[in-house]
Amino acid sequence: MTSSSSSARARLTTDRLVLRPWTMAEATAVLGNTRSVHWADDFPAEGDRVVAGLFDQNPAWLGAHGHRLIIERDSDLVVGSTGLFWPPSEGTLEIGYGIVASRHGRGYAPEAARALAEFALTVTGVRTVFATVELSNPASVRVLEKAGFRRWATEENLARFRITRSSCHER
């Protein structure tokens, strides 16, 4: 993962993906069902619409530590989104992610989640990044496991996964 010096806190690049913050114009387009030539045919997914609708209430999510579009480097198309539910609370920060159905099975979700979690753990005061998933969604469980998160709690139909600054450096 790399980031440019002028936008060191904004754009993350992995082997196959670019993660960059949403713009308000993109959120407006998603909410208004306005298509962009820069989107995969099945973007946005329902989760992307939900996140776009929450930016007004959570403006920090549009910043360098918030939500990002996932761009496939080969095609330069938006294929999903991932995000940090900023600000952190007591050193912990929640992450979310989603990839459009046409790109499922390519490993993009773990790649994006790992990159964003590693980025988050470089922020002063953030010690843990976590996600909560429904046990009825084994694909999401696998995403987190592949991204280096470890299960730390299970309650009823939910599992909580986390990655910590120390576990991230062990890899």
Side-chain angles (χ1 to χ4, degrees):
M1 175 184 66
T2 62
S3 56
S4 68
S5 58
S6 64
S7 59
R9 294 285 186 202
R11 188 180 193 92
L12 303 175
T13 304
T14 69
D15 289 342
R16 301 177 300 157
L17 305 171
V18 172
L19 312 177
R20 67 157 177 77
W22 287 70
T23 66
M24 189 50 94
E26 290 163 330
T28 300
V30 164
L31 294 173
N33 292 317
T34 304
R35 298 281 318 144
S36 169
V37 297
H38 301 289
W39 295 351
D41 289 341
D42 49 350
F43 182 86
E46 184 56 32
D48 304 310
R49 287 183 188 90
V50 169
V51 168
L54 293 171
F55 287 140
D56 281 341
Q57 299 166 31
N58 301 283
W61 291 4
L62 285 169
H65 299 103
H67 287 260
R68 294 155 188 274
L69 293 172
I70 300 171
I71 301 162
E72 184 178 55
R73 290 177 64 184
D74 284 347
S75 68
D76 203 32
L77 294 175
V78 175
V79 298
S81 64
T82 186
L84 300 168
F85 294 92
W86 197 261
S89 174
E90 298 180 16
T92 65
L93 190 55
E94 187 173 8
I95 191 172
Y97 48 86
I99 299 292
V100 295
S102 65
R103 299 314 198 272
H104 283 183
R106 298 183 187 192
Y108 289 168
E111 187 174 328
R114 175 87 180 163
L116 193 56
E118 287 177 351
F119 166 75
L121 291 168
T122 67
V123 177
T124 302
V126 176
R127 296 180 308 278
T128 302
V129 177
F130 75 94
T132 303
V133 294
E134 294 180 6
L135 292 173
S136 61
N137 186 351
S140 195
V141 169
R142 283 191 303 277
V143 164
L144 292 169
E145 290 171 343
K146 288 178 181 179
F149 287 70
R150 299 291 174 246
R151 187 183 304 215
W152 63 281
T154 304
E155 42 192 71
E156 294 185 28
N157 66 337
L158 297 176
R160 296 189 89 190
F161 287 79
R162 69 180 172 191
I163 190 168
T164 63
R165 196 174 277 172
S166 61
S167 68
C168 192
H169 294 300
E170 290 171 4
R171 300 182 146 259

